Amino acid sequence: MDMKHLELSESEWLRIRDQIRTEHGDSMILLRDKMRRELGFTVRRHQEWRERAVPKRDVGHKTMYPVNIICLDFYDESAKSWFVLKYL
């Protein structure tokens, strides 16, 4: 099975999470199996290291910083489409 996912910023996910919590209750957010069964996705956190722009005097030196990303892993294309239409 090919797993499809969406990447969201922390602030995007917090807004959507609060909306899901209002519509479905706290248990939807707290129970991974319930979220997968009823909404068609699970949530995971991922951290990437990205390069920061450096001043010209520091050319040759890389400055990296961590970026937190929320990944929503979908288990079916229709659930992903529904999510995008409803929340994004």
Side-chain angles (χ1 to χ4, degrees):
M1 172 169 63
D2 180 45
M3 190 167 24
K4 302 134 187 83
H5 75 274
L6 287 175
E7 293 182 359
L8 302 173
S9 69
E10 188 84 32
S11 61
E12 289 172 320
W13 169 242
L14 291 176
R15 179 186 56 79
I16 293 167
R17 185 196 68 188
D18 288 344
Q19 189 174 346
I20 291 170
R21 181 178 281 150
T22 300
E23 294 170 0
H24 300 279
D26 287 339
S27 66
M28 186 65 72
I29 298 298
L30 297 173
L31 301 172
R32 185 176 174 90
D33 289 338
K34 184 174 182 179
M35 185 180 283
R36 180 177 177 175
R37 183 179 64 245
E38 296 187 23
L39 298 179
F41 67 91
T42 57
V43 180
R44 67 184 160 89
R45 294 180 180 280
H46 178 71
Q47 188 175 68
E48 288 182 357
W49 287 87
R50 296 196 178 156
E51 192 171 335
R52 183 176 305 209
V54 295
K56 287 185 180 181
R57 70 180 188 286
D58 292 336
V59 173
H61 295 99
K62 291 184 179 181
T63 303
M64 305 295 280
Y65 66 101
V67 176
N68 293 318
I69 298 170
I70 306 298
C71 296
L72 304 183
D73 296 320
F74 289 87
Y75 296 90
D76 128 347
E77 193 63 41
S78 63
K80 183 178 180 183
S81 297
W82 175 85
F83 180 89
V84 169
L85 289 170
K86 183 166 178 130
Y87 297 107
L88 298 180

mmCIF file with all atom_site columns, all heavy atoms in Angstrom, residues 1 11 35 43 49 59-60 88:
data_model
loop_
_atom_site.group_PDB
_atom_site.id
_atom_site.type_symbol
_atom_site.label_atom_id
_atom_site.label_alt_id
_atom_site.label_comp_id
_atom_site.label_asym_id
_atom_site.label_entity_id
_atom_site.label_seq_id
_atom_site.pdbx_PDB_ins_code
_atom_site.Cartn_x
_atom_site.Cartn_y
_atom_site.Cartn_z
_atom_site.occupancy
_atom_site.B_iso_or_equiv
_atom_site.pdbx_formal_charge
_atom_site.auth_seq_id
_atom_site.auth_comp_id
_atom_site.auth_asym_id
_atom_site.auth_atom_id
_atom_site.pdbx_PDB_model_num
ATOM 1  N N   . MET A 1 1  ? 0.836  -1.173 0.000  1.00 0.00 ? 1  MET A N   1
ATOM 2  C CA  . MET A 1 1  ? 0.000  0.000  0.000  1.00 0.00 ? 1  MET A CA  1
ATOM 3  C C   . MET A 1 1  ? 0.884  1.239  0.000  1.00 0.00 ? 1  MET A C   1
ATOM 4  O O   . MET A 1 1  ? 1.813  1.358  0.770  1.00 0.00 ? 1  MET A O   1
ATOM 5  C CB  . MET A 1 1  ? -0.907 -0.014 1.240  1.00 0.00 ? 1  MET A CB  1
ATOM 6  C CG  . MET A 1 1  ? -1.677 1.253  1.425  1.00 0.00 ? 1  MET A CG  1
ATOM 7  S SD  . MET A 1 1  ? -2.969 1.199  2.675  1.00 0.00 ? 1  MET A SD  1
ATOM 8  C CE  . MET A 1 1  ? -2.067 0.891  4.153  1.00 0.00 ? 1  MET A CE  1
ATOM 9  N N   . SER A 1 11 ? 1.586  25.533 13.384 1.00 0.00 ? 11 SER A N   1
ATOM 10 C CA  . SER A 1 11 ? 0.427  26.429 13.553 1.00 0.00 ? 11 SER A CA  1
ATOM 11 C C   . SER A 1 11 ? -0.770 25.976 12.720 1.00 0.00 ? 11 SER A C   1
ATOM 12 O O   . SER A 1 11 ? -1.911 26.055 13.173 1.00 0.00 ? 11 SER A O   1
ATOM 13 C CB  . SER A 1 11 ? 0.792  27.872 13.231 1.00 0.00 ? 11 SER A CB  1
ATOM 14 O OG  . SER A 1 11 ? 1.210  28.005 11.900 1.00 0.00 ? 11 SER A OG  1
ATOM 15 N N   . MET A 1 35 ? -8.696 7.896  15.208 1.00 0.00 ? 35 MET A N   1
ATOM 16 C CA  . MET A 1 35 ? -8.477 8.900  14.172 1.00 0.00 ? 35 MET A CA  1
ATOM 17 C C   . MET A 1 35 ? -8.284 8.219  12.809 1.00 0.00 ? 35 MET A C   1
ATOM 18 O O   . MET A 1 35 ? -8.844 8.656  11.808 1.00 0.00 ? 35 MET A O   1
ATOM 19 C CB  . MET A 1 35 ? -7.258 9.762  14.509 1.00 0.00 ? 35 MET A CB  1
ATOM 20 C CG  . MET A 1 35 ? -7.042 10.908 13.544 1.00 0.00 ? 35 MET A CG  1
ATOM 21 S SD  . MET A 1 35 ? -5.605 11.894 13.955 1.00 0.00 ? 35 MET A SD  1
ATOM 22 C CE  . MET A 1 35 ? -6.242 12.843 15.320 1.00 0.00 ? 35 MET A CE  1
ATOM 23 N N   . VAL A 1 43 ? -1.292 11.016 12.749 1.00 0.00 ? 43 VAL A N   1
ATOM 24 C CA  . VAL A 1 43 ? -0.412 12.185 12.845 1.00 0.00 ? 43 VAL A CA  1
ATOM 25 C C   . VAL A 1 43 ? 0.953  11.756 13.341 1.00 0.00 ? 43 VAL A C   1
ATOM 26 O O   . VAL A 1 43 ? 1.061  10.933 14.245 1.00 0.00 ? 43 VAL A O   1
ATOM 27 C CB  . VAL A 1 43 ? -1.009 13.218 13.840 1.00 0.00 ? 43 VAL A CB  1
ATOM 28 C CG1 . VAL A 1 43 ? -0.114 14.441 13.949 1.00 0.00 ? 43 VAL A CG1 1
ATOM 29 C CG2 . VAL A 1 43 ? -2.410 13.612 13.427 1.00 0.00 ? 43 VAL A CG2 1
ATOM 30 N N   . TRP A 1 49 ? 16.244 19.651 9.190  1.00 0.00 ? 49 TRP A N   1
ATOM 31 C CA  . TRP A 1 49 ? 17.241 20.702 9.355  1.00 0.00 ? 49 TRP A CA  1
ATOM 32 C C   . TRP A 1 49 ? 17.321 21.473 8.046  1.00 0.00 ? 49 TRP A C   1
ATOM 33 O O   . TRP A 1 49 ? 17.507 20.891 6.986  1.00 0.00 ? 49 TRP A O   1
ATOM 34 C CB  . TRP A 1 49 ? 18.594 20.102 9.726  1.00 0.00 ? 49 TRP A CB  1
ATOM 35 C CG  . TRP A 1 49 ? 18.594 19.605 11.125 1.00 0.00 ? 49 TRP A CG  1
ATOM 36 C CD1 . TRP A 1 49 ? 18.202 18.367 11.549 1.00 0.00 ? 49 TRP A CD1 1
ATOM 37 C CD2 . TRP A 1 49 ? 18.931 20.338 12.284 1.00 0.00 ? 49 TRP A CD2 1
ATOM 38 N NE1 . TRP A 1 49 ? 18.291 18.289 12.905 1.00 0.00 ? 49 TRP A NE1 1
ATOM 39 C CE2 . TRP A 1 49 ? 18.742 19.491 13.392 1.00 0.00 ? 49 TRP A CE2 1
ATOM 40 C CE3 . TRP A 1 49 ? 19.383 21.634 12.504 1.00 0.00 ? 49 TRP A CE3 1
ATOM 41 C CZ2 . TRP A 1 49 ? 18.994 19.893 14.694 1.00 0.00 ? 49 TRP A CZ2 1
ATOM 42 C CZ3 . TRP A 1 49 ? 19.640 22.036 13.805 1.00 0.00 ? 49 TRP A CZ3 1
ATOM 43 C CH2 . TRP A 1 49 ? 19.442 21.170 14.879 1.00 0.00 ? 49 TRP A CH2 1
ATOM 44 N N   . VAL A 1 59 ? 30.400 33.467 3.806  1.00 0.00 ? 59 VAL A N   1
ATOM 45 C CA  . VAL A 1 59 ? 30.210 32.511 2.715  1.00 0.00 ? 59 VAL A CA  1
ATOM 46 C C   . VAL A 1 59 ? 31.118 31.304 2.963  1.00 0.00 ? 59 VAL A C   1
ATOM 47 O O   . VAL A 1 59 ? 32.265 31.440 3.350  1.00 0.00 ? 59 VAL A O   1
ATOM 48 C CB  . VAL A 1 59 ? 30.533 33.169 1.350  1.00 0.00 ? 59 VAL A CB  1
ATOM 49 C CG1 . VAL A 1 59 ? 30.513 32.137 0.238  1.00 0.00 ? 59 VAL A CG1 1
ATOM 50 C CG2 . VAL A 1 59 ? 29.554 34.279 1.065  1.00 0.00 ? 59 VAL A CG2 1
ATOM 51 N N   . GLY A 1 60 ? 30.558 30.140 2.753  1.00 0.00 ? 60 GLY A N   1
ATOM 52 C CA  . GLY A 1 60 ? 31.302 28.911 3.000  1.00 0.00 ? 60 GLY A CA  1
ATOM 53 C C   . GLY A 1 60 ? 30.917 28.259 4.312  1.00 0.00 ? 60 GLY A C   1
ATOM 54 O O   . GLY A 1 60 ? 31.201 27.098 4.530  1.00 0.00 ? 60 GLY A O   1
ATOM 55 N N   . LEU A 1 88 ? -8.433 22.564 4.529  1.00 0.00 ? 88 LEU A N   1
ATOM 56 C CA  . LEU A 1 88 ? -7.391 23.418 3.936  1.00 0.00 ? 88 LEU A CA  1
ATOM 57 C C   . LEU A 1 88 ? -7.922 24.362 2.919  1.00 0.00 ? 88 LEU A C   1
ATOM 58 O O   . LEU A 1 88 ? -8.617 24.825 2.451  1.00 0.00 ? 88 LEU A O   1
ATOM 59 C CB  . LEU A 1 88 ? -6.299 22.573 3.286  1.00 0.00 ? 88 LEU A CB  1
ATOM 60 C CG  . LEU A 1 88 ? -5.540 21.671 4.230  1.00 0.00 ? 88 LEU A CG  1
ATOM 61 C CD1 . LEU A 1 88 ? -4.483 20.885 3.469  1.00 0.00 ? 88 LEU A CD1 1
ATOM 62 C CD2 . LEU A 1 88 ? -4.856 22.475 5.322  1.00 0.00 ? 88 LEU A CD2 1
#
